[in-house]
Amino acid sequence: MDIGEVSKTSGLPASTLRYYEEKGLIRSSGRNGLRRLFDADVIEQLALISLGRNAGFSLDEIGEMFTADGLEINRQLLLKKADELDKKIKELTSMRNGLRHAAACSAPSHLECPKFRRLLHIAGKNHSRHPSKLKKK
Amino acid sequence: MDIGEVSKTSGLPASTLRYYEEKGLIRSSGRNGLRRLFDADVIEQLALISLGRNAGFSLDEIGEMFTADGLEINRQLLLKKADELDKKIKELTSMRNGLRHAAACSAPSHLECPKFRRLLHIAGKNHSRHPSKLKKK
DNA sequence: GTTTGACCTAAAGTCGACTTGAGGTGATAT
DNA sequence: ATATCACCTCAAGTCGACTTTAGGTCAAAC
């Protein structure tokens, strides 16, 4: 299939597909003239990438987790990422509860509500901005 | 307290605090000469902002959810955001389960494992990249 | 055989969230 | 008095993840 079809079935613009290929996240199986050819399983690769992005992983992290050919995964790393997700899930849950409470609470300012204020201390000194600010060496 | 102290106790660089003030997320209570003065409750505002950021909200969204003085929250909006979090929590949970399974699974490629492949269809056509790509008019 | 339309590349631009840099101010310690 | 030094402003730079633009190629339809 050529890029237009991949784009249509995946919902991702062709420019993104080229970009992902350049980054090594997907692979085209060859060329017809100058046109890239993809084989069908790229659709699943892309679904996986979208899933990862949606979960907050950077393209680099996704590249580390899954190789472009779907082989040789790093089980250790996967478990680590799963643990990270667990942590994030807990934080999101607290936040969600805090929001629901704030919406229902009658305190004049949510900062005056003790229940809400407890929320402020959950993640502690968690200033982790968007996933992985750590720069690689 | 002046900006250095806020920075130290909040863990955020002074540049970020100036930036947040410029964006209207926090307020300085006055000046001593040219130096900003903050009062103590800014620390809690900042904790709230960090929490929101960590939950994936943009600064603009956070600004809409909580006013700089902590008053007049939009309960409707808060509930909507809580629902968004619920959705995200579910997605993250699926992803986490998928990762744990992939790490344990013995299929030659995770793309060949039916259990893993089911994961690929959870969020459907969910190409929402980083929170709120919607541009305001 | 030419026109079309989908594709190509390389480079530059965009957006959010900050950070960095250059040059300036002024309260406080000496 | 003056030297520090933490603060200030404004402009420009950075980073990730793309998108846009400009100009070019070429297989297939006419």
Side-chain angles (χ1 to χ4, degrees), chain B residues 81-98:
Chain B
K81 297 297 180 185
D83 288 350
E84 282 176 34
L85 286 182
D86 260 339
K87 186 170 162 244
K88 189 128 222 160
I89 287 166
K90 278 183 192 121
E91 291 164 1
L92 261 51
T93 303
S94 305
M95 183 82 189
R96 179 207 57 191
N97 293 342

Side-chain angles (χ1 to χ4, degrees), chain B residues 13 15-16 19-20 34-35 53 58-59:
Chain B
S15 60
T16 299
Y19 177 67
Y20 283 0
L34 41 62
R35 302 182 174 208
R53 295 281 301 116
S58 72
L59 293 181

Side-chain angles (χ1 to χ4, degrees), chain A residues 95-110:
Chain A
M95 184 82 189
R96 179 206 56 190
N97 293 342
L99 290 181
R100 292 232 163 95
H101 176 73
C105 182
S106 57
S109 154
H110 44 276

Side-chain angles (χ1 to χ4, degrees), chain B residues 2 17 21 25 44 69 87 94 111 113 119 121 126:
Chain B
D2 72 2
L17 301 177
E21 188 192 15
L25 275 78
E44 266 149 12
D69 48 33
K87 186 170 162 244
S94 305
L111 285 177
C113 165
L119 165 64
H121 301 296
N126 189 350

Side-chain angles (χ1 to χ4, degrees), chain A residues 101-118:
Chain A
H101 176 73
C105 182
S106 57
S109 154
H110 44 276
L111 286 178
E112 285 167 41
C113 165
K115 200 164 175 180
F116 191 84
R117 289 171 63 107
R118 277 211 306 281

Side-chain angles (χ1 to χ4, degrees), chain A residues 13 15-16 19-20 33-34 53 58-59:
Chain A
S15 59
T16 300
Y19 177 67
Y20 283 179
L34 41 63
R53 295 281 300 117
S58 72
L59 294 181

